[in-house]
Amino acid sequence: MLRVAVVGSGPSGVYTAQALVTQTVVPDVRVHVLDRLPCPYGLVRYGVAPDHEKIKSLQQSLRAVLEHERVTFVGNVAVGGDGVAPERLGELYHAVVYCVGAATDRPLGIPGEDLPGSHSATEFVSWYSAHPDASAGLFALQARSVVVIGVGNVAVDVARILARGADELRPTDVPQPALGVLAGSRVREVHMAGRRGPSQARFTTKELRELGSLPGARIVVHPADLALDPAYAGSLPGSAPLPALVRRNLDVLRGWAVNPPDPGREADRTIGLRFFLRPVELLERRGRVAGVRFARTVPDGSGGVRDTGTYEEIGAGLVLRAVGYRGTPLPGLPFDAAHGTVPHRAGRVLRDGAASAGEYVAGWIKRGPTGVIGSNRSCAKETVASLVEDAPLLAGRPSAPDPLVVLRSWGLRPVEWDGWLSIERAETTLGRSLGRGPVKIPDWPGLMDAARGDIP
């Protein structure tokens, strides 16, 4: 028997577990999927927007893996830092695969970024997704104008949630405190801004089009911003072919610039999409953020942009940065600070340039925050292929007959699958009491009480 720990129960971790128990070279592999949280599914539970039910339904396929007879979910077990050190974890299993993702946002590195009212998009997403680490009172949404820095799918999600009415989110699993704040939101203007042109934006066409279907939200696109992009002229009939995604996005934006979508009722909120604006400073008034100063940019002819020497200011009482994720060091593992990843070769962790026996990585901590959810399948398969190739050597390493017994002897309180099912039942009960569907429990004490069955 080969015992393997997979650290992280998001898509990369679950796909790694799936690849381990479906491969046929090593016949008897037992997998423990460890997670710091008592809940599985990672970013599918805590990162996918609540109104994206189709994507959230991916939980069902992940669930099937975690219910496999040779897979065990082990929640509420942190690894690294104040949790179990990687070297101690390695004593319990023949191999450990780290699938810990990229947990932080990239900073802007500009003056004023730390002002009250300036937050990462991850903080906002965690708040409306009921992540237990999120501060319950972090967002009051009393600002009339919000600037979202970034033009990727996360930025679009954030803008869409800000522009939606609370009644539209009531059927989702948004936690009740966040729903109450959204119901009392004073936000009327949401400005999305990117330093490059629309052809280089990272949003998908589906996400972009959703903005145009929001009832009560008016879309504003500046034709002058589009005209600066060389690809915009190239998207016109008779021009050289463009990548399909770029062409579709430009078609949508062109249509909105000429004929903004009908909000369906009197528009009470506006979403503005701006391009060729590079943030250089967050403005301050009375100790809080009051807006963003942008440098106007233009294409430099080499795929980048250059400043024009002119500036534009957009007033805002709330600024959310959505300019990408970045991996963070896991104490006890090597780390490539330049790329925000663990150095590896085909998934094998490298220490001083040599493969470290029994240590592997998969997902964003392996390759960086790139690709879509499905990209984690091939990434996991590559890592598992390396692990399977190493299996004859790994089988000779010591392991614990029952790692859960050892973890408990170390003072940990693992939440197994029955505990997670108990959380699910508690969230269904909570939602029913509020006249809603299942509603997420947003705090650690509530989750742990539910996992123990202490909530009726």
Side-chain angles (χ1 to χ4, degrees), residues 92-166:
L92 306 184
Y93 298 91
H94 295 108
V96 180
V97 186
Y98 294 91
C99 306
V100 293
T104 62
D105 285 75
R106 292 182 180 275
L108 297 172
I110 60 176
E113 187 170 8
D114 296 327
L115 283 169
S118 167
H119 299 277
S120 70
T122 294
E123 290 176 305
F124 188 66
V125 170
S126 294
W127 172 75
Y128 69 60
S129 296
H131 195 292
D133 290 341
S135 175
L138 192 59
F139 296 96
L141 301 186
Q142 296 302 293
R144 180 177 178 83
S145 178
V146 179
V147 169
V148 181
I149 300 175
V151 284
N153 279 346
V154 173
V156 173
D157 282 347
V158 167
R160 192 180 64 256
I161 295 298
L162 285 167
R164 273 203 187 282

Side-chain angles (χ1 to χ4, degrees), residues 175-199:
Q176 191 68 14
L179 186 66
V181 171
L182 289 163
S185 171
R186 295 183 179 177
V187 174
R188 294 297 175 266
E189 299 175 359
V190 181
H191 307 269
M192 287 176 54
R195 66 184 180 88
R196 298 195 292 180
S199 66

Side-chain angles (χ1 to χ4, degrees), residues 11 40-63 125 128-130 157 160-161 169 171-175 206 373 420 424 427 438-440:
Y41 311 136
L43 279 179
V44 177
R45 175 174 167 92
Y46 289 118
V48 174
D51 56 346
H52 276 179
E53 292 297 332
K54 185 174 181 179
I55 301 176
K56 290 175 74 69
S57 67
L58 176 63
Q59 292 183 19
Q60 297 308 311
S61 62
L62 301 181
R63 182 191 198 98
V125 170
Y128 69 60
S129 296
D157 282 347
R160 192 180 64 256
I161 295 298
L169 293 170
T172 74
D173 60 4
V174 166
K206 178 180 179 296
I373 290 176
W420 160 240
E424 281 193 319
E427 292 184 337
V439 172
K440 288 179 184 173

Side-chain angles (χ1 to χ4, degrees), residues 64-101:
V65 177
L66 293 174
E67 289 181 331
H68 189 281
E69 61 182 358
R70 287 188 282 124
V71 176
T72 301
F73 172 69
V74 185
N76 196 40
V77 173
V79 176
D82 295 333
V84 181
E87 58 268 26
R88 295 196 75 188
L89 190 65
E91 295 169 1
L92 306 184
Y93 298 91
H94 295 108
V96 180
V97 186
Y98 294 91
C99 306
V100 293

